[in-house]
PDB file of all heavy atoms in Angstrom:
ATOM      1  N   VAL A  67       6.477  10.370  25.661  1.00 98.00           N
ATOM      2  CA  VAL A  67       6.648   9.178  26.495  1.00 98.00           C
ATOM      3  C   VAL A  67       7.004   7.921  25.699  1.00 98.00           C
ATOM      4  O   VAL A  67       7.937   7.182  26.051  1.00 98.00           O
ATOM      5  CB  VAL A  67       5.370   8.933  27.317  1.00 98.00           C
ATOM      6  CG1 VAL A  67       5.516   7.712  28.206  1.00 98.00           C
ATOM      7  CG2 VAL A  67       5.035  10.171  28.136  1.00 98.00           C
ATOM      8  N   SER A  68       6.267   7.651  24.629  1.00 98.00           N
ATOM      9  CA  SER A  68       6.485   6.391  23.901  1.00 98.00           C
ATOM     10  C   SER A  68       7.887   6.301  23.329  1.00 98.00           C
ATOM     11  O   SER A  68       8.504   5.225  23.311  1.00 98.00           O
ATOM     12  CB  SER A  68       5.444   6.220  22.790  1.00 98.00           C
ATOM     13  OG  SER A  68       5.508   7.275  21.846  1.00 98.00           O
ATOM     14  N   GLY A  69       8.428   7.420  22.878  1.00 98.00           N
ATOM     15  CA  GLY A  69       9.784   7.426  22.358  1.00 98.00           C
ATOM     16  C   GLY A  69      10.815   7.126  23.431  1.00 98.00           C
ATOM     17  O   GLY A  69      11.822   6.449  23.175  1.00 98.00           O
ATOM     18  N   LEU A  70      10.571   7.632  24.641  1.00 98.00           N
ATOM     19  CA  LEU A  70      11.475   7.340  25.749  1.00 98.00           C
ATOM     20  C   LEU A  70      11.512   5.839  26.017  1.00 98.00           C
ATOM     21  O   LEU A  70      12.591   5.241  26.164  1.00 98.00           O
ATOM     22  CB  LEU A  70      11.012   8.086  26.998  1.00 98.00           C
ATOM     23  CG  LEU A  70      11.753   7.760  28.298  1.00 98.00           C
ATOM     24  CD1 LEU A  70      13.199   8.218  28.225  1.00 98.00           C
ATOM     25  CD2 LEU A  70      11.042   8.381  29.500  1.00 98.00           C
ATOM     26  N   TYR A  71      10.342   5.219  26.100  1.00 99.00           N
ATOM     27  CA  TYR A  71      10.269   3.764  26.297  1.00 99.00           C
ATOM     28  C   TYR A  71      10.958   3.031  25.149  1.00 99.00           C
ATOM     29  O   TYR A  71      11.735   2.092  25.364  1.00 99.00           O
ATOM     30  CB  TYR A  71       8.818   3.319  26.377  1.00 99.00           C
ATOM     31  CG  TYR A  71       8.169   3.419  27.734  1.00 99.00           C
ATOM     32  CD1 TYR A  71       7.745   4.646  28.246  1.00 99.00           C
ATOM     33  CD2 TYR A  71       7.926   2.283  28.499  1.00 99.00           C
ATOM     34  CE1 TYR A  71       7.120   4.733  29.494  1.00 99.00           C
ATOM     35  CE2 TYR A  71       7.297   2.357  29.738  1.00 99.00           C
ATOM     36  CZ  TYR A  71       6.896   3.584  30.227  1.00 99.00           C
ATOM     37  OH  TYR A  71       6.279   3.664  31.453  1.00 99.00           O
ATOM     38  N   ALA A  72      10.668   3.436  23.916  1.00 99.00           N
ATOM     39  CA  ALA A  72      11.205   2.733  22.751  1.00 99.00           C
ATOM     40  C   ALA A  72      12.718   2.829  22.688  1.00 99.00           C
ATOM     41  O   ALA A  72      13.419   1.835  22.406  1.00 99.00           O
ATOM     42  CB  ALA A  72      10.581   3.288  21.469  1.00 99.00           C
ATOM     43  N   GLN A  73      13.256   4.008  22.960  1.00 98.00           N
ATOM     44  CA  GLN A  73      14.703   4.171  22.900  1.00 98.00           C
ATOM     45  C   GLN A  73      15.391   3.345  23.989  1.00 98.00           C
ATOM     46  O   GLN A  73      16.410   2.692  23.747  1.00 98.00           O
ATOM     47  CB  GLN A  73      15.086   5.649  23.041  1.00 98.00           C
ATOM     48  CG  GLN A  73      16.584   5.873  22.949  1.00 98.00           C
ATOM     49  CD  GLN A  73      16.982   7.338  23.050  1.00 98.00           C
ATOM     50  OE1 GLN A  73      17.620   7.870  22.149  1.00 98.00           O
ATOM     51  NE2 GLN A  73      16.617   7.981  24.143  1.00 98.00           N
ATOM     52  N   GLU A  74      14.840   3.362  25.179  1.00 98.00           N
ATOM     53  CA  GLU A  74      15.436   2.607  26.283  1.00 98.00           C
ATOM     54  C   GLU A  74      15.417   1.101  25.987  1.00 98.00           C
ATOM     55  O   GLU A  74      16.393   0.391  26.244  1.00 98.00           O
ATOM     56  CB  GLU A  74      14.689   2.896  27.580  1.00 98.00           C
ATOM     57  CG  GLU A  74      15.188   2.121  28.787  1.00 98.00           C
ATOM     58  CD  GLU A  74      16.611   2.445  29.181  1.00 98.00           C
ATOM     59  OE1 GLU A  74      17.060   3.589  28.933  1.00 98.00           O
ATOM     60  OE2 GLU A  74      17.288   1.555  29.745  1.00 98.00           O
ATOM     61  N   LEU A  75      14.335   0.610  25.428  1.00 98.00           N
ATOM     62  CA  LEU A  75      14.254  -0.818  25.113  1.00 98.00           C
ATOM     63  C   LEU A  75      15.170  -1.187  23.962  1.00 98.00           C
ATOM     64  O   LEU A  75      15.714  -2.303  23.908  1.00 98.00           O
ATOM     65  CB  LEU A  75      12.809  -1.206  24.819  1.00 98.00           C
ATOM     66  CG  LEU A  75      11.892  -1.203  26.049  1.00 98.00           C
ATOM     67  CD1 LEU A  75      10.434  -1.372  25.648  1.00 98.00           C
ATOM     68  CD2 LEU A  75      12.307  -2.273  27.049  1.00 98.00           C
ATOM     69  N   ALA A  76      15.382  -0.268  23.022  1.00 98.00           N
ATOM     70  CA  ALA A  76      16.351  -0.512  21.956  1.00 98.00           C
ATOM     71  C   ALA A  76      17.758  -0.642  22.528  1.00 98.00           C
ATOM     72  O   ALA A  76      18.554  -1.476  22.086  1.00 98.00           O
ATOM     73  CB  ALA A  76      16.289   0.592  20.915  1.00 98.00           C
ATOM     74  N   ALA A  77      18.083   0.178  23.521  1.00 98.00           N
ATOM     75  CA  ALA A  77      19.392   0.085  24.165  1.00 98.00           C
ATOM     76  C   ALA A  77      19.570  -1.251  24.865  1.00 98.00           C
ATOM     77  O   ALA A  77      20.703  -1.685  25.117  1.00 98.00           O
ATOM     78  CB  ALA A  77      19.562   1.230  25.159  1.00 98.00           C
TER      79      ALA A  77
END
Side-chain angles (χ1 to χ4, degrees):
V67 181
S68 60
L70 173 66
Y71 275 77
Q73 181 178 238
E74 178 64 29
L75 289 171

